[in-house]
Amino acid sequence: MLLEVEGLCVNYGHIEAIRDISFNVPEGSVTTLIGANGAGKTTTLKTLSGIRKVRAGSVKFDGKDITHAAPYDRVKLGISQSPEGRRCFVGMTVRENLDMGAFVRNDRKSKAYQEDIDRVLALFPRLAERINQSAGTMSGGEQQMLAIGRALMARPRLILLDEPSMGLAPKLIAQIFSIIKEINEQGTTVLLVEQNAAQALKAADDAHILETGEIVRSGKGSELAGDDSVKAAYLGGDI
């Protein structure tokens, strides 16, 4: 098991944001967390990245306890995140943003590094066209591509994707999910937080539903997508 989360509890001050959640992410899978705004999805990813402190419980990555590991060390171990809201460095070019994603690497003049740049540009041809353009001048969809590409530059074994479809047009959403599938097929395990539950469940091998900081349902993505109660609560009655 690549990622093991056991009894995780996280607070914001005196408020319990995450209460005793447990789930696993198998290596090679796409696993998704879905739920309404405020359910605790983003907090979970921030905690897995080391940005939020754990009050109780444990996080293991490839068998190693990383519950209290620093964010930098988690990236070095192979966990990388594309954050909610993209968070591109707007004053930097596309190429400079990609370089920032590789800050833990010391092989920037190597053939392997250029191969990783080429891989990202092959996944996102639009970025190749904008390689010397300032990120702040690009569209929301282009910035989302850049955020994912930047995360890939750390060569993660596990990529955390936080709301990759937020604010995008339907055509772009379909494109982003197609690329997520391709990233996974290339060997990167994916943990996806997504408010677009229909798309997320279609993409996921395993899925967990969060409500007010607790996991209330778990199962295969296809099973939850076909469940009438899930459809009614999260999919507008249809999928």
Side-chain angles (χ1 to χ4, degrees):
M1 194 63 61
L2 187 60
L3 183 73
E4 300 169 80
V5 178
E6 185 67 35
L8 192 66
C9 299
V10 179
N11 279 26
Y12 283 97
H14 297 294
I15 299 171
E16 289 183 308
I18 299 293
R19 289 192 293 276
D20 194 28
I21 67 170
S22 300
F23 66 94
N24 295 326
V25 178
E27 186 156 18
S29 71
V30 176
T31 300
T32 190
L33 304 176
I34 64 171
N37 281 337
K41 306 185 302 297
T42 291
T43 298
T44 300
L45 289 198
K46 286 183 176 180
T47 305
L48 297 177
S49 292
I51 298 170
R52 298 299 311 177
K53 291 184 178 180
V54 174
R55 180 174 64 80
S58 66
V59 179
K60 291 183 179 179
F61 183 70
D62 199 19
K64 179 182 177 68
D65 191 324
I66 62 166
T67 307
H68 302 293
Y72 176 89
D73 292 324
R74 298 185 195 215
V75 176
K76 289 180 70 175
L77 285 170
I79 301 174
S80 190
Q81 182 170 359
S82 172
E84 180 183 16
R86 297 134 196 172
R87 304 291 180 90
C88 296
F89 298 100
V90 296
M92 294 183 177
T93 66
V94 167
R95 175 63 192 240
E96 289 168 339
N97 269 269
L98 295 178
D99 287 339
M100 288 297 291
F103 73 99
V104 298
R105 297 176 61 170
N106 56 12
D107 64 340
R108 294 194 182 189
K109 294 184 179 180
S110 70
K111 181 180 178 182
Y113 187 84
Q114 186 57 49
E115 286 174 348
D116 288 338
I117 290 282
D118 293 342
R119 174 199 177 198
V120 169
L121 299 183
L123 284 167
F124 302 105
R126 187 67 62 84
L127 297 184
E129 299 170 7
R130 305 281 195 271
I131 193 69
N132 295 313
Q133 185 171 326
S134 170
T137 65
M138 300 197 307
S139 70
E142 290 166 344
Q143 289 190 26
Q144 184 61 67
M145 295 174 189
L146 180 56
I148 296 173
R150 181 181 59 192
L152 288 172
M153 285 304 299
R155 281 193 164 182
R157 295 178 62 192
L158 172 66
I159 188 168
L160 311 177
L161 301 177
D162 195 352
E163 301 286 7
S165 76
M166 180 181 289
L168 302 185
K171 185 177 179 180
L172 269 178
I173 291 173
Q175 184 180 354
I176 290 293
F177 273 92
S178 175
I179 291 167
I180 290 170
K181 180 180 178 182
E182 188 171 351
I183 289 168
N184 180 243
E185 288 174 348
Q186 289 180 359
T188 304
T189 303
V190 177
L191 178 56
L192 169 68
V193 155
E194 181 56 61
Q195 199 168 355
N196 188 327
Q199 287 281 4
L201 292 176
K202 285 179 181 177
D205 300 299
D206 301 304
H208 308 279
I209 299 176
L210 276 169
E211 286 184 6
T212 58
E214 298 178 288
I215 291 178
V216 296
R217 290 284 302 275
S218 296
K220 295 296 180 184
S222 57
E223 293 172 358
L224 293 182
D227 185 283
D228 288 341
S229 63
V230 174
K231 287 181 180 181
Y234 300 99
L235 307 174
D238 195 13
I239 187 170

